[in-house]
Amino acid sequence: MNARLSLKTSSLAVAGLLATGSLSAQAQTELTMYYPVAVGGALTEVIDGLVADFEAEHPDISVDAIYAGNYDDTRVRAMSAVEAGDAPQLSVMFSIDLYELLEQDVIVAFDDLVQSDEEREWLDGFYPALMENGRLDGQTYGIPFQRSTIVFYWNKEAFADAGLDPDTPPETWEEMAEMAATVREASGGEQWGVMVPSTGYPYWMFQAFAFQNGHRLMSDDGTEVHFDDPAAIEALEYWVSLAEEHGAMPDGTIEWGTLRQNFIEQSTAMMWHSTGNLTAVRNEAGFDFGVAMLPMNTQRGSPTGGGNFYLFKDSSEEEQRAAMTFIRWMTAPERAAAWSMETGYMGVSPAAYETEALRDYVETFPPAAVARDQLEHATAELATYQGGRVRRALDNAIQAALTGQMSPAEALAQAQAEAEAALRRYSR
């Protein structure tokens, strides 16, 4: 997609309407949208191109799309704008920001704006697993956009060099540890077997391990967490063992932001990462690679992840309707398909995968369907009240265990105590 060409097209379309008197400057509804980028690739250019195409089709609506950093940066910037009396009309933010946004009473339920059967059909047309973090008490507050699951990437050439079947990824934790150790040994210590990121969003990776061990970390209502359950402790013990026992992963923490490059530079043969990195890996890897669902222990599984669209209260009815028009356009099957192909994020609705473009793309590049197929084994991402404090407690515990400062049991017991203190006033 050529963002500059799209911008030029949009400008010409609006200019032509102004010249003919079909549109006046005063008739435009102006929207501000903040959005994050948390994976590799030129996503800002893709967003700019989509916005320009929308404006060309809807000359009565202008959208100022502002890149605001990562997910945490975007939440802080949006909330700062709200507090300053300059709230955006809409934003893409973490799907797990829902409880905080509701507690601050700053967002609007999409159900309140639905006016037709067609709009209700749109609202009900997304994958149910992607809606778990966007709905509460029967109301829809978040619309899926840049959504993901964690997927497993492996270097087929490294597997072949280590005497492993290049087309067969590990199915279980035990197999992953064994294969990773085999790759490490076969490379003479030049290549790590596997890397799982433990900065950025360590709680997300840990949630996958815990869920694969049959355990959910939180209650459905966001008021309780279960970090110190024996199944969770066992999951963290396994993660730690990849370095300490199997020698297949580096000691200490592994950076979220550089892991994709580590994989591309072949310093690791396997990695766990967001499907949102898929297109960047495809474009940059100089070797044959595969993508699969995450290995399992007692069951398959990954938390969903990524960002949703939200509508803010401090907007006029006209602005809210215009914002919903934009969100509907951005999540329409053809756009969801294009976004998936441009980025690696999944198409957010079954209808997206029924488009000719994405159907053909998946046929020629099967890894593009892995994150979607994994939805069958997905769980909602860790989301609670006081989410920042709760996730920080868990992140610190994970890193303490991985760096050898505390045992997994000690670290998770401390995280549980800190989370319970943060959630005490929400307990029923």
Side-chain angles (χ1 to χ4, degrees), residues 344-385:
Y345 284 113
M346 68 180 71
V348 291
S349 66
Y353 289 91
E354 293 167 4
T355 63
E356 183 178 359
L358 192 50
R359 188 171 62 246
D360 291 348
Y361 185 68
V362 167
E363 187 174 333
T364 59
F365 185 51
V370 172
R372 176 204 64 185
D373 294 344
Q374 196 169 231
L375 285 177
E376 182 180 345
H377 311 285
T379 186
E381 187 173 359
L382 175 64
T384 65
Y385 290 100

Side-chain angles (χ1 to χ4, degrees), residues 330-341:
M330 288 286 279
T331 57
E334 57 270 29
R335 248 81 59 192
W339 174 251
S340 180
M341 292 184 288

Side-chain angles (χ1 to χ4, degrees), residues 264-300:
I264 289 168
E265 292 174 355
Q266 303 191 65
S267 60
T268 182
M270 298 176 250
M271 72 170 179
W272 291 29
H273 221 305
S274 167
T275 187
N277 268 316
L278 178 58
T279 300
V281 171
R282 185 187 192 191
N283 292 341
E284 298 173 22
F287 53 87
D288 192 14
F289 71 94
V291 179
M293 295 186 199
L294 296 177
M296 63 178 285
N297 194 36
T298 64
Q299 64 182 25
R300 285 203 177 277

Side-chain angles (χ1 to χ4, degrees), residues 95-114:
S95 65
I96 56 176
D97 285 336
L98 177 62
Y99 289 103
E100 180 175 342
L101 295 171
L102 286 174
E103 194 165 23
Q104 298 289 332
D105 194 27
V106 296
I107 55 173
V108 178
F110 282 83
D111 310 77
D112 296 341
L113 298 178
V114 166

Side-chain angles (χ1 to χ4, degrees), residues 98-362:
L98 177 62
Y99 289 103
E100 180 175 342
L101 295 171
L102 286 174
E103 194 165 23
Q104 298 289 332
D105 194 27
V106 296
I107 55 173
V108 178
F110 282 83
D111 310 77
D112 296 341
L113 298 178
V114 166
Q115 296 179 348
S116 66
D117 291 342
E118 181 188 11
E119 290 178 348
R120 171 54 61 182
E121 185 178 350
W122 163 74
L123 197 60
D124 293 337
F126 300 96
Y127 282 109
L130 298 180
M131 299 301 288
E132 288 186 42
N133 284 116
R135 282 184 171 148
L136 188 66
D137 297 330
Q139 294 282 89
T140 301
Y141 296 94
I143 296 297
F145 176 55
Q146 52 189 59
R147 297 302 304 274
S148 59
T149 60
I150 306 163
V151 294
F152 179 84
Y153 298 79
W154 83 97
N155 182 329
K156 293 187 176 184
E157 294 177 13
F159 269 43
D161 291 343
L164 300 171
D165 183 348
D167 295 317
T168 304
E171 288 279 323
T172 66
W173 285 4
E174 182 179 4
E175 288 180 359
M176 186 177 78
E178 291 174 352
M179 291 179 177
T182 298
V183 168
R184 179 70 173 163
E185 183 178 357
S187 71
E190 294 297 315
Q191 186 178 46
W192 290 103
V194 64
M195 290 186 183
V196 179
S198 47
T199 70
Y201 313 99
Y203 74 87
W204 196 40
M205 298 292 150
F206 175 63
Q207 189 184 357
F209 281 120
F211 191 61
Q212 290 154 16
N213 208 30
H215 180 61
R216 293 187 83 243
L217 292 179
M218 76 289 190
S219 62
D220 291 334
D221 62 1
T223 64
E224 296 179 1
V225 295
H226 315 293
F227 296 161
D228 59 350
D229 185 272
I233 295 170
E234 184 180 20
L236 187 52
E237 287 173 342
Y238 171 75
W239 191 353
V240 170
S241 78
L242 292 172
E244 287 191 357
E245 179 182 338
H246 300 283
M249 188 178 75
D251 290 321
T253 56
I254 294 172
E255 293 293 325
W256 167 277
T258 58
L259 178 51
R260 176 177 59 88
Q261 198 60 32
N262 291 341
F263 182 70
I264 289 168
E265 292 174 355
Q266 303 191 65
S267 60
T268 182
M270 298 176 250
M271 72 170 179
W272 291 29
H273 221 305
S274 167
T275 187
N277 268 316
L278 178 58
T279 300
V281 171
R282 185 187 192 191
N283 292 341
E284 298 173 22
F287 53 87
D288 192 14
F289 71 94
V291 179
M293 295 186 199
L294 296 177
M296 63 178 285
N297 194 36
T298 64
Q299 64 182 25
R300 285 203 177 277
S302 169
T304 58
N308 284 345
F309 279 113
Y310 295 95
L311 293 174
F312 283 82
K313 276 190 173 181
D314 288 342
S315 307
S316 68
E317 182 178 348
E318 178 185 13
E319 288 170 338
Q320 290 176 357
R321 291 296 304 174
M324 196 165 89
T325 296
F326 175 71
I327 294 169
R328 286 190 62 193
W329 188 90
M330 288 286 279
T331 57
E334 57 270 29
R335 248 81 59 192
W339 174 251
S340 180
M341 292 184 288
E342 289 274 5
T343 63
Y345 284 113
M346 68 180 71
V348 291
S349 66
Y353 289 91
E354 293 167 4
T355 63
E356 183 178 359
L358 192 50
R359 188 171 62 246
D360 291 348
Y361 185 68
V362 167

